[in-house]
Amino acid sequence: MRGKELRERLWRRYREIREPWMRWVLRVQDEALSALRDFLRVEGFVEILAPIVGPVTDPGIRGAKQFSIDYYGHRFKVMSSMILYKQMAVSSLDKVFALSPNLRLEPLEAAYTGRHLAEFRQLDLEVAEASYLDLMELGERLLIYVLRRIRRECGEELENLGRELRIPSKPFRRLTHGEAVELLRGEGFDLKPGEEIPWEAEEHISAMFQEPLWIMDYPITARGFYDREDPERPGILRDFDLLYPEGYGEAISGGEREYQYERVLARMKARGDNPEEYGWYLEMLREGVKPSAGFGIGVERLTRYLCGLKYIWDAVPFPKVPGIPSP
Ligand code: ASP
Ligand code: MG
């Protein structure tokens, strides 16, 4: 669905929201939100309130742009993700999560991938003194818990939506970024080793599998300054993405964090980020934070996967699709 047709549909959301399918989707989403919270509370996480604006935000947002507002004469960014704030909170509470609203100016073409919104929520979590492997294990348990809950509590909605959900087994398959690039080259994609995997290739690899798939160990040139470089394997990051199967694409992004002032500064410089723009964040690092690892899981993408929806804008009550005006 494109252009005029999509515009018209989104503009009339006040009609669509009353349709039975939309009610089924929103009930599944409600159950998923409860499930995420219940799971994390039992694991000892503390829920914190996410910021909406601040002087700095996530710079590593894959081709999307940040935007700013005037805040009493200061340029404040609208949160593209609260990653830098998680590092602040985790030094106090050890295990934190937030249901965080994010805004990103995605390129206009992203409107038509079916899985990009300009406004979305992610469940963002962070664990002090943890490794990225710990977080991958947590991510597997979290996803399986949510899938089981939805199957148990939302059987009727799933049936109405024509969705059959498989419960994957642990551990999920793991590919390094290098292995994923090799596999995709074999499928005819022209990919370079040091780069982020483009959307079409990600969708393709996700469609090759019937169970979720980890891609880990991204090259340093593919990601932002906060994913930690492996001290034993220079140039390789201790990070990961989880892809849903069946072509639904990215579920989770995360990793260990660079947390030492000097390292972060060097990484910023290497990427061409201006350290002067990171005021409080760099001052905080200079005083010291706990090492940590964490990830974010997009709520609308999770809902889309759970409900088997073709388009992400049907997985949120009031969608904002790049470039398209809607309520
Ligand atoms: N918040 C990050 C993102 O938006 C995910 C993470 O690394 O925790 O990609
Ligand atoms: Mg990501």
Side-chain angles (χ1 to χ4, degrees):
M1 192 180 307
R2 299 184 78 93
K4 240 180 117 202
E5 193 190 346
L6 175 57
R7 217 170 256 265
E8 176 62 19
R9 262 207 56 194
L10 295 179
W11 191 255
R12 307 273 171 232
R13 181 45 66 104
Y14 51 85
R15 288 183 197 154
E16 281 198 325
I17 201 165
R18 302 180 197 186
E19 290 190 14
W21 68 267
M22 189 89 241
R23 284 202 291 267
W24 302 328
V25 168
L26 295 179
R27 283 202 200 107
V28 170
Q29 186 163 75
D30 171 65
E31 189 63 36
L33 288 168
S34 300
L36 290 166
R37 287 190 157 114
D38 292 347
F39 175 86
L40 291 172
R41 293 232 163 76
V42 169
E43 294 282 325
F45 282 77
V46 176
E47 181 168 5
I48 57 171
L49 299 177
I52 297 174
V53 296
V56 294
T57 188
D58 183 349
I61 49 175
R62 253 183 127 165
K65 291 206 181 74
Q66 306 176 343
F67 51 111
S68 309
I69 60 159
D70 180 280
Y71 180 76
Y72 298 96
H74 300 273
R75 296 298 285 169
F76 263 37
K77 305 260 172 63
V78 181
M79 279 304 122
S80 52
S81 102
M82 64 178 296
I83 171 80
L84 308 177
Y85 292 80
K86 289 198 291 186
Q87 280 185 278
M88 177 183 337
V90 80
S91 290
S92 162
L93 291 161
D94 284 334
K95 284 182 170 187
V96 296
F97 77 97
L99 270 159
S100 172
N102 293 180
L103 280 105
R104 299 180 184 178
L105 288 179
E106 296 285 350
L108 280 175
E109 314 83 75
Y112 303 108
T113 62
R115 59 174 202 283
H116 284 90
L117 293 168
E119 176 192 84
F120 66 97
R121 284 119 205 110
Q122 61 176 323
L123 186 132
D124 235 329
L125 61 83
E126 196 73 15
V127 183
E129 321 279 353
S131 77
Y132 76 139
L133 301 175
D134 298 334
L135 270 288
M136 290 166 79
E137 203 269 327
L138 181 81
E140 293 182 359
R141 287 191 293 115
L142 176 137
L143 187 61
I144 290 173
Y145 178 84
V146 173
L147 288 168
R148 287 215 174 106
R149 253 282 287 257
I150 297 298
R151 279 241 303 228
R152 198 177 69 222
E153 301 297 328
C154 298
E156 210 180 304
E157 284 81 4
L158 292 182
E159 203 183 316
N160 289 337
L161 290 161
R163 179 64 168 156
E164 247 182 75
L165 277 181
R166 291 166 62 115
I167 310 289
S169 43
K170 275 195 336 151
F172 301 168
R173 185 192 297 260
R174 295 173 181 197
L175 295 182
T176 64
H177 176 273
E179 288 165 342
V181 165
E182 272 312 303
L183 186 65
L184 281 162
R185 276 195 184 146
E187 296 285 309
F189 287 90
D190 177 25
L191 303 183
K192 296 175 195 66
E195 285 177 8
E196 179 62 272
I197 295 172
W199 298 118
E200 318 79 66
E202 189 181 280
E203 187 173 326
H204 186 88
I205 197 170
S206 148
M208 291 170 72
F209 295 93
Q210 290 304 311
E211 300 225 324
L213 169 75
W214 292 107
I215 300 182
M216 57 197 288
D217 299 349
Y218 282 73
I220 196 163
T221 40
R223 294 268 152 124
F225 63 74
Y226 54 77
D227 284 11
R228 181 164 177 240
E229 186 177 16
D230 194 321
E232 259 104 64
R233 297 176 301 166
I236 306 279
L237 303 174
R238 295 172 67 83
D239 67 356
F240 51 77
D241 271 13
L242 180 70
L243 306 187
Y244 293 118
E246 305 168 59
Y248 287 97
E250 183 183 323
I252 287 178
S253 281
E256 284 175 35
R257 314 303 180 189
E258 293 289 2
Y259 65 100
Q260 288 145 316
Y261 175 74
E262 298 295 341
R263 297 257 336 128
V264 172
L265 208 57
R267 291 283 301 280
M268 282 180 172
K269 286 184 180 150
R271 263 177 47 96
D273 292 311
N274 179 3
E276 276 169 29
E277 286 176 15
Y278 288 88
W280 69 261
Y281 180 66
L282 285 174
E283 286 173 34
M284 173 179 83
L285 294 188
R286 199 157 40 197
E287 292 180 23
V289 293
K290 288 185 183 170
S292 67
F295 63 71
I297 175 166
V299 173
E300 294 85 349
R301 287 179 178 173
L302 173 64
T303 308
R304 177 178 176 235
Y305 176 67
L306 292 172
C307 295
L309 303 172
K310 185 152 188 215
Y311 303 117
I312 189 85
W313 54 77
D314 291 333
V316 57
F318 318 116
K320 303 296 179 306
V321 173
I324 299 184
S326 57

mmCIF file of all heavy atoms in Angstrom, residues 197-212:
data_model
loop_
_atom_site.group_PDB
_atom_site.id
_atom_site.type_symbol
_atom_site.label_atom_id
_atom_site.label_comp_id
_atom_site.label_asym_id
_atom_site.label_seq_id
_atom_site.Cartn_x
_atom_site.Cartn_y
_atom_site.Cartn_z
ATOM 1 N N ILE A 197 23.747 -4.207 7.813
ATOM 2 C CA ILE A 197 22.979 -4.996 6.846
ATOM 3 C C ILE A 197 21.748 -4.184 6.429
ATOM 4 O O ILE A 197 20.958 -3.776 7.275
ATOM 5 C CB ILE A 197 22.563 -6.345 7.476
ATOM 6 C CG1 ILE A 197 23.836 -7.167 7.760
ATOM 7 C CG2 ILE A 197 21.603 -7.116 6.566
ATOM 8 C CD1 ILE A 197 23.615 -8.424 8.553
ATOM 9 N N PRO A 198 21.603 -3.904 5.127
ATOM 10 C CA PRO A 198 20.467 -3.067 4.697
ATOM 11 C C PRO A 198 19.116 -3.757 4.907
ATOM 12 O O PRO A 198 19.048 -4.981 5.053
ATOM 13 C CB PRO A 198 20.728 -2.813 3.215
ATOM 14 C CG PRO A 198 21.909 -3.609 2.820
ATOM 15 C CD PRO A 198 22.432 -4.349 3.992
ATOM 16 N N TRP A 199 18.055 -2.956 4.896
ATOM 17 C CA TRP A 199 16.724 -3.463 5.260
ATOM 18 C C TRP A 199 16.272 -4.650 4.422
ATOM 19 O O TRP A 199 15.737 -5.624 4.934
ATOM 20 C CB TRP A 199 15.671 -2.356 5.125
ATOM 21 C CG TRP A 199 15.927 -1.202 6.025
ATOM 22 C CD1 TRP A 199 16.175 0.096 5.650
ATOM 23 C CD2 TRP A 199 15.981 -1.217 7.448
ATOM 24 N NE1 TRP A 199 16.387 0.867 6.771
ATOM 25 C CE2 TRP A 199 16.275 0.094 7.876
ATOM 26 C CE3 TRP A 199 15.827 -2.213 8.412
ATOM 27 C CZ2 TRP A 199 16.406 0.445 9.207
ATOM 28 C CZ3 TRP A 199 15.955 -1.870 9.742
ATOM 29 C CH2 TRP A 199 16.240 -0.564 10.128
ATOM 30 N N GLU A 200 16.469 -4.537 3.088
ATOM 31 C CA GLU A 200 15.956 -5.615 2.222
ATOM 32 C C GLU A 200 16.684 -6.914 2.519
ATOM 33 O O GLU A 200 16.078 -7.988 2.534
ATOM 34 C CB GLU A 200 16.153 -5.299 0.717
ATOM 35 C CG GLU A 200 15.864 -3.873 0.291
ATOM 36 C CD GLU A 200 17.023 -2.947 0.650
ATOM 37 O OE1 GLU A 200 18.107 -3.105 0.082
ATOM 38 O OE2 GLU A 200 16.843 -2.042 1.502
ATOM 39 N N ALA A 201 17.988 -6.805 2.779
ATOM 40 C CA ALA A 201 18.771 -8.003 3.074
ATOM 41 C C ALA A 201 18.341 -8.577 4.423
ATOM 42 O O ALA A 201 18.235 -9.795 4.603
ATOM 43 C CB ALA A 201 20.255 -7.661 3.083
ATOM 44 N N GLU A 202 18.066 -7.695 5.377
ATOM 45 C CA GLU A 202 17.630 -8.146 6.700
ATOM 46 C C GLU A 202 16.291 -8.873 6.602
ATOM 47 O O GLU A 202 16.078 -9.918 7.216
ATOM 48 C CB GLU A 202 17.507 -6.933 7.625
ATOM 49 C CG GLU A 202 17.278 -7.306 9.059
ATOM 50 C CD GLU A 202 17.147 -6.073 9.921
ATOM 51 O OE1 GLU A 202 18.187 -5.491 10.260
ATOM 52 O OE2 GLU A 202 16.010 -5.693 10.234
ATOM 53 N N GLU A 203 15.402 -8.321 5.785
ATOM 54 C CA GLU A 203 14.103 -8.963 5.607
ATOM 55 C C GLU A 203 14.280 -10.332 4.951
ATOM 56 O O GLU A 203 13.639 -11.317 5.330
ATOM 57 C CB GLU A 203 13.219 -8.064 4.740
ATOM 58 C CG GLU A 203 11.800 -8.561 4.652
ATOM 59 C CD GLU A 203 10.888 -7.563 3.932
ATOM 60 O OE1 GLU A 203 11.103 -6.348 4.078
ATOM 61 O OE2 GLU A 203 9.988 -8.023 3.217
ATOM 62 N N HIS A 204 15.186 -10.376 4.001
ATOM 63 C CA HIS A 204 15.425 -11.625 3.282
ATOM 64 C C HIS A 204 15.948 -12.705 4.227
ATOM 65 O O HIS A 204 15.436 -13.824 4.256
ATOM 66 C CB HIS A 204 16.419 -11.385 2.148
ATOM 67 C CG HIS A 204 16.618 -12.584 1.281
ATOM 68 N ND1 HIS A 204 15.823 -12.841 0.183
ATOM 69 C CD2 HIS A 204 17.486 -13.632 1.372
ATOM 70 C CE1 HIS A 204 16.214 -13.980 -0.368
ATOM 71 N NE2 HIS A 204 17.222 -14.477 0.329
ATOM 72 N N ILE A 205 16.942 -12.355 5.028
ATOM 73 C CA ILE A 205 17.526 -13.379 5.914
ATOM 74 C C ILE A 205 16.498 -13.795 6.970
ATOM 75 O O ILE A 205 16.391 -14.969 7.334
ATOM 76 C CB ILE A 205 18.882 -12.904 6.527
ATOM 77 C CG1 ILE A 205 19.651 -14.117 7.078
ATOM 78 C CG2 ILE A 205 18.718 -11.857 7.587
ATOM 79 C CD1 ILE A 205 21.073 -13.793 7.474
ATOM 80 N N SER A 206 15.695 -12.851 7.400
ATOM 81 C CA SER A 206 14.656 -13.169 8.383
ATOM 82 C C SER A 206 13.618 -14.133 7.796
ATOM 83 O O SER A 206 13.081 -14.994 8.496
ATOM 84 C CB SER A 206 14.021 -11.857 8.867
ATOM 85 O OG SER A 206 12.686 -12.003 9.187
ATOM 86 N N ALA A 207 13.379 -14.014 6.493
ATOM 87 C CA ALA A 207 12.403 -14.900 5.838
ATOM 88 C C ALA A 207 12.971 -16.290 5.575
ATOM 89 O O ALA A 207 12.232 -17.225 5.281
ATOM 90 C CB ALA A 207 11.934 -14.273 4.526
ATOM 91 N N MET A 208 14.308 -16.427 5.710
ATOM 92 C CA MET A 208 14.922 -17.732 5.459
ATOM 93 C C MET A 208 14.741 -18.688 6.638
ATOM 94 O O MET A 208 15.041 -19.871 6.537
ATOM 95 C CB MET A 208 16.433 -17.573 5.184
ATOM 96 C CG MET A 208 16.745 -16.894 3.860
ATOM 97 S SD MET A 208 18.511 -16.476 3.711
ATOM 98 C CE MET A 208 19.231 -18.098 3.483
ATOM 99 N N PHE A 209 14.304 -18.153 7.778
ATOM 100 C CA PHE A 209 14.253 -18.986 8.988
ATOM 101 C C PHE A 209 12.847 -19.052 9.577
ATOM 102 O O PHE A 209 12.060 -18.125 9.431
ATOM 103 C CB PHE A 209 15.240 -18.452 10.025
ATOM 104 C CG PHE A 209 16.664 -18.568 9.575
ATOM 105 C CD1 PHE A 209 17.294 -17.516 8.912
ATOM 106 C CD2 PHE A 209 17.375 -19.747 9.761
ATOM 107 C CE1 PHE A 209 18.606 -17.636 8.458
ATOM 108 C CE2 PHE A 209 18.678 -19.875 9.325
ATOM 109 C CZ PHE A 209 19.291 -18.819 8.676
ATOM 110 N N GLN A 210 12.561 -20.159 10.240
ATOM 111 C CA GLN A 210 11.263 -20.359 10.891
ATOM 112 C C GLN A 210 11.328 -20.042 12.384
ATOM 113 O O GLN A 210 10.327 -20.107 13.089
ATOM 114 C CB GLN A 210 10.798 -21.813 10.707
ATOM 115 C CG GLN A 210 10.393 -22.153 9.278
ATOM 116 C CD GLN A 210 9.306 -21.229 8.750
ATOM 117 O OE1 GLN A 210 8.293 -21.008 9.400
ATOM 118 N NE2 GLN A 210 9.533 -20.643 7.574
ATOM 119 N N GLU A 211 12.538 -19.761 12.881
ATOM 120 C CA GLU A 211 12.705 -19.412 14.296
ATOM 121 C C GLU A 211 13.553 -18.133 14.372
ATOM 122 O O GLU A 211 14.257 -17.810 13.423
ATOM 123 C CB GLU A 211 13.406 -20.552 15.045
ATOM 124 C CG GLU A 211 12.626 -21.862 14.973
ATOM 125 C CD GLU A 211 12.536 -22.580 16.320
ATOM 126 O OE1 GLU A 211 13.496 -22.524 17.089
ATOM 127 O OE2 GLU A 211 11.470 -23.183 16.578
ATOM 128 N N PRO A 212 13.481 -17.434 15.510
ATOM 129 C CA PRO A 212 14.252 -16.186 15.605
ATOM 130 C C PRO A 212 15.753 -16.431 15.417
ATOM 131 O O PRO A 212 16.249 -17.517 15.699
ATOM 132 C CB PRO A 212 13.969 -15.698 17.033
ATOM 133 C CG PRO A 212 12.750 -16.421 17.476
ATOM 134 C CD PRO A 212 12.722 -17.711 16.734
#
